[in-house]
Amino acid sequence: MMKLIEPAIEYDKQIRAYRKEFLDCGDSSDGTAHLRRFENPQDWIDHVSSFRNLQYMLVREEDQKIVGMIHLSNDYLKRYGGHIGYSVAPSERRKGYATQMLKMALPKCRELGIDKVLITCISGNEGSKKAILKNGGTFEAVVYEPDEGINVERYWIDLSK
């Protein structure tokens, strides 16, 4: 069983472990509201609670491990971003957590008044692409993001149905 919860200091140790795993492997930690910048989990929790966007952690109930994080925004990030950013811990990938986390987050987008959700992923990120498609994503286009020098795939999920 999995649960999607807002960050809380009770998960101090797990937040530190999640952050460390990404720092150790040098991977991006999308959907974490800049967790990598915060050594102290309480500082990060204060940061995410200071803005209107919503931050969640996907926690595996059996061991209370944070296996993923997802960030929802009702601010429309026009060209390269989207309403949702997410990541799965490198050690927990290819287990369906991204698909499950995204599915759990979509009703929260609807609560924010978002009827059409934009989600992007870097071209070649097949895991993210599969998670988006399994949740009803419809491909729009590939755009080049010049600051990062990457191609980004844009998908839409219609929640108005």
Side-chain angles (χ1 to χ4, degrees):
M1 292 284 302
M2 306 300 288
K3 59 185 174 182
L4 205 57
I5 63 168
E6 292 182 31
I9 199 60
E10 297 86 82
Y11 289 88
D12 177 275
K13 212 158 106 177
Q14 296 93 323
I15 293 168
R16 288 177 192 275
Y18 191 83
R19 178 181 180 269
K20 183 178 182 329
E21 189 168 341
F22 279 92
L23 291 174
D24 287 351
C25 75
D27 203 350
S28 69
S29 53
D30 300 329
T32 66
H34 308 290
L35 175 61
R36 60 187 325 116
R37 296 182 190 168
F38 296 91
E39 287 186 40
N40 181 338
Q42 184 62 57
D43 292 341
W44 175 70
I45 292 168
D46 292 344
H47 167 72
V48 298
S49 65
S50 71
F51 48 83
R52 296 179 315 160
N53 303 326
L54 302 175
Q55 182 69 48
Y56 295 97
M57 305 180 305
L58 183 67
V59 177
R60 187 170 49 215
E61 290 190 55
E62 70 186 47
D63 60 2
Q64 297 301 298
K65 181 177 182 179
I66 299 170
V67 298
M69 289 199 185
I70 192 162
H71 179 86
L72 311 179
S73 173
N74 58 0
D75 295 328
Y76 180 71
L77 304 173
K78 291 187 180 174
R79 185 136 170 99
Y80 308 114
H83 294 103
I84 297 177
Y86 56 87
S87 61
V88 173
S91 63
E92 298 294 338
R93 292 182 180 158
R94 298 182 180 187
K95 297 178 182 177
Y97 292 136
T99 300
Q100 187 175 359
M101 183 168 46
L102 183 54
K103 182 178 182 177
M104 294 168 78
L106 290 173
K108 295 180 183 301
C109 288
R110 191 176 285 120
E111 290 171 17
L112 290 172
I114 304 169
D115 291 329
K116 198 168 180 188
V117 177
L118 172 63
I119 304 177
T120 65
C121 68
I122 297 170
S123 291
N125 184 340
E126 292 302 313
S128 187
K129 178 179 177 176
K130 285 180 186 177
I132 296 166
L133 292 172
K134 285 180 181 178
N135 279 285
T138 302
F139 176 75
E140 178 192 67
V142 175
V143 296
Y144 180 74
E145 200 283 288
D147 293 336
E148 298 290 328
I150 56 173
N151 287 318
V152 176
E153 297 178 14
R154 293 168 50 94
Y155 295 87
W156 290 94
I157 298 176
D158 187 351
L159 299 178
S160 65
K161 298 175 185 178

